[in-house]
């Protein structure tokens, strides 16, 4: 890593570089220099992101746009360039791609909301992100992972993994597979509405989990949305939904004791409040009405992605123990079942909040 670090314009000589954070995809390090400058050094996963220059092109354009809207350096990711003025360094000998961001000092990155207020603030952060990018030219973005939230395509990938069953794990997951397949037909609902022109394509983040947002350590206010690798054209319901599937659960994503996993309607409301306060006014009635569907679809989709990866031998999501992807799949499916049980309440919450939005009140949700 230190070899990669010396290609970037750092303030001072690196004195420490330690693995950092809990992301499932990239390799992340906290890099500190002798001048006490802190950086995030990342090896970008180029098996997941096949076109890293295109990905960095997106991030450069999006962060410039955001910085223009709000120049406070703690409220937007800042890319540190290489000595050649590039946004990333490609190590030709190993094939690895590296980048550096300024570390946002005095920030918190939570794995679970400690209070409802924390989750409301993460809703504000993602809502504000949406709002600030509303006039960004969506068609100029590269699709960094094709069909990333195309749930029917994710089902097709699950079918392939089950058919191939390369490790003989299928026999352990019959119940999970059946759970998913019972829901396959409904899972394409949002894509159908999009194809019918009822849901606009926006600039979306597509990976809105709580640990992809930083809060101010002291005030706990929303600072900065991070992990911009999947910023792409997408549906707002997916951004809303992915945040709910992760942050409105009462347990960790890989909790083994499913009795501890439930959907917290309180947390669901808190996120909705923060998110809609920032972006609610710009959503059309179909977008507002489909936010709960986004939560259901993203939770199911994430569950089938974990399941397919378990069947393929854990080649996509980083795991730290045997069976972790299957445990992750099970928590997601438990949450899907919970959402089905609390469906009317999930809809009511959005409906009532939408009616209270200034300049709305047309009953459109
Ligand atoms: P991954 O794609 O693997 O999830 P992330 O870009 O989300 O990678 O980074 C992993 C973790 O590193 C984040 O969850 C967060 O804890 C931390 N992190 C990333 N960027 C910053 C930053 N600029 N300042 C502070 N912490 C950061
Ligand atoms: C991955 O990179 P990270 O850990 O923030 C994944 C998301 C999943 C999430 C599940 C590029 O997010 O799509 O929802 O794990 N990112 C990618 O926790 O696949
Ligand atoms: Mg992340």
């Amino acid at each position: 890593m230190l070899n990669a670090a010396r290609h970037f314009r750092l303030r001072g000589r690196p004195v420490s570089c330690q693995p950092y954070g809990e992301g499932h995809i990239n390799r992340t390090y906290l890099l500190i220099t002798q001048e006490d400058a802190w950086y995030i050094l990342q090896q970008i996963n180029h098996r997941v992101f096949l076109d890293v220059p295109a990905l960095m092109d997106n991030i450069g354009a999006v962060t410039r746009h955001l910085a223009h809207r709000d120049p406070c350096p703690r409220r937007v990711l800042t890319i540190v360039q290489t000595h050649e003025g590039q946004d990333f360094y490609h190590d030709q000998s190993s094939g690895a791609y590296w980048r550096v961001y300024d570390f946002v000092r005095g920030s918190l990155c939570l794995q679970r909301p400690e209070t409802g207020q924390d989750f409301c603030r993460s809703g504000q952060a993602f809502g504000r992100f949406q709002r600030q990018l509303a006039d960004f030219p969506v068609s100029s973005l590269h699709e960094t992972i094709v069909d990333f939230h195309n749930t029917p395509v994710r089902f097709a990938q699950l079918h392939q993994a089950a058919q191939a069953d390369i490790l003989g794990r299928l026999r352990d997951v019959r119940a999970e597979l059946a759970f998913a397949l019972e829901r396959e037909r409904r899972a394409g609902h949002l894509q159908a509405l999009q194809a019918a022109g009822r849901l606009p394509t926006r600039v979306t983040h597509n990976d809105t989990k709580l640990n992809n947002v930083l809060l101010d350590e002291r005030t706990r206010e929303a600072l900065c949305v991070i992990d911009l690798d999947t910023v792409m054209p997408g549906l707002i319901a997916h951004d809303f939904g992915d945040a709910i599937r992760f942050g409105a659960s009462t347990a960790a994503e890989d909790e083994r004791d499913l009795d501890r996993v439930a959907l917290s309607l309180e947390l669901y409301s808190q996120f909705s409040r923060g998110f809609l306060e920032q972006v609610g006014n710009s959503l059309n009635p179909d977008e507002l009405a489909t936010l709960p569907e986004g939560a259901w679809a993203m939770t199911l989709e994430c569950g089938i992605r974990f399941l397919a990866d378990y069947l393929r031998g854990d080649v996509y999501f980083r795991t730290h123990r045997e069976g972790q992807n299957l445990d992750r799949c099970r928590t997601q499916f438990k949450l899907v079942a919970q959402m089905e049980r609390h469906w009317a309440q999930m809809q009511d919450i959005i409906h009532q909040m939408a009616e209270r939005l200034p300049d709305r009140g047309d009953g459109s949700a």
Side-chain angles (χ1 to χ4, degrees):
M1 298 99 69
L2 288 177
N3 185 41
R6 72 185 168 80
H7 291 271
F8 291 87
R9 293 178 186 161
L10 305 177
R11 205 156 47 77
R13 187 175 48 78
V15 288
S16 94
C17 189
Q18 299 295 327
Y20 191 80
E22 308 213 3
H24 296 341
I25 302 294
N26 296 311
R27 288 192 185 281
T28 303
Y29 304 89
L30 168 60
L31 180 79
I32 303 179
T33 71
Q34 103 267 25
E35 290 190 30
D36 197 36
W38 290 34
Y39 300 98
I40 285 286
L41 169 69
Q42 279 183 325
Q43 185 183 350
I44 304 165
N45 186 330
H46 63 276
R47 275 175 245 295
V48 164
F49 300 106
L50 300 177
D51 187 347
V52 174
L55 172 147
M56 290 308 297
D57 200 41
N58 279 359
I59 297 181
V62 163
T63 52
R64 274 193 301 277
H65 185 97
L66 293 173
H68 190 67
R69 290 279 170 287
D70 182 351
C72 170
R74 299 181 75 221
R75 286 207 280 271
V76 65
L77 268 183
T78 304
I79 300 174
V80 176
Q81 292 192 324
T82 65
H83 297 297
E84 288 75 40
Q86 302 294 314
D87 285 347
F88 63 93
Y89 163 64
H90 183 206
D91 180 345
Q92 304 280 351
S93 58
S94 67
Y97 290 87
W98 296 88
R99 72 178 160 215
V100 174
Y101 293 120
D102 280 338
F103 188 95
V104 180
R105 301 285 283 266
S107 66
L108 280 175
C109 177
L110 300 175
Q111 304 306 321
R112 308 239 2 92
E114 285 168 14
T115 62
Q117 178 88 317
D118 287 343
F119 200 37
C120 175
R121 293 210 157 137
S122 99
Q124 287 173 335
F126 286 118
R128 187 176 67 196
F129 181 84
Q130 278 285 335
R131 195 161 46 70
Q132 291 178 335
L133 289 167
D135 58 345
F136 184 92
V138 68
S139 59
S140 70
L141 285 172
H142 309 279
E143 226 179 329
T144 56
I145 300 180
V146 175
D147 287 326
F148 189 57
H149 287 322
N150 188 334
T151 315
V153 169
R154 295 297 188 178
F155 264 98
Q157 293 166 351
L158 174 64
H159 284 292
Q160 278 163 12
Q163 222 150 32
D165 190 23
I166 55 167
L167 294 173
R169 288 178 166 182
L170 187 60
R171 62 172 180 270
D172 309 330
V173 301
R174 291 279 177 206
E176 288 76 14
L177 190 64
F179 181 94
L181 298 186
E182 278 165 28
R183 288 158 178 80
E184 184 165 5
R185 193 205 283 263
R186 173 173 167 186
H189 184 57
L190 292 173
Q191 282 73 27
L193 287 176
Q194 185 179 25
R198 288 175 57 183
L199 298 176
T201 304
R202 297 177 180 272
V203 178
T204 46
H205 182 281
N206 296 303
D207 190 2
T208 51
K209 33 182 199 183
L210 183 66
N211 64 17
N212 285 332
V213 64
L214 303 177
L215 305 184
D216 186 288
E217 187 178 70
R218 205 170 43 80
T219 65
R220 296 183 94 93
E221 270 162 349
L223 282 177
C224 177
V225 168
I226 59 171
D227 202 348
L228 305 180
D229 297 334
T230 51
V231 174
M232 281 185 278
L235 298 178
I236 192 131
H238 290 151
D239 271 7
F240 174 82
D242 195 42
I244 296 299
R245 79 152 188 94
F246 187 85
S249 170
T250 54
E253 191 182 59
D254 62 351
E255 173 61 55
R256 278 185 266 204
D257 179 358
L258 290 181
D259 288 341
R260 299 175 66 173
V261 181
L263 173 76
S264 161
L265 285 171
E266 168 59 20
L267 287 172
Y268 173 88
S269 299
Q270 291 281 2
F271 184 89
S272 305
R273 194 156 61 81
F275 192 71
L276 290 180
E277 164 206 302
Q278 292 291 319
V279 80
N281 263 330
S282 63
L283 304 188
N284 79 27
D286 285 322
E287 287 180 296
L288 278 166
T290 52
L291 294 178
E293 186 71 17
W296 180 89
M298 288 306 298
T299 313
L300 179 66
E301 182 189 283
C302 204
I304 68 174
R305 291 174 64 200
F306 288 140
L307 182 57
D309 197 35
Y310 176 73
L311 289 169
R312 288 196 207 102
D314 308 308
V315 291
Y316 185 93
F317 296 103
R318 182 174 308 120
T319 53
H320 305 284
R321 59 178 163 78
E322 184 79 16
Q324 194 172 9
N325 271 323
L326 181 55
D327 293 332
R328 290 170 176 157
C329 158
R330 288 177 172 150
T331 63
Q332 301 309 291
F333 288 176
K334 171 83 190 276
L335 289 170
V336 169
Q338 289 264 306
M339 289 178 189
E340 291 168 0
R341 168 136 35 113
H342 298 296
W343 191 242
Q345 288 143 292
M346 285 171 68
Q347 286 187 304
D348 276 357
I349 289 167
I350 298 297
H351 184 84
Q352 282 171 21
M353 282 184 193
E355 287 204 317
R356 287 201 300 267
L357 286 170
D359 301 331
R360 203 167 264 275
D362 55 1
S364 54

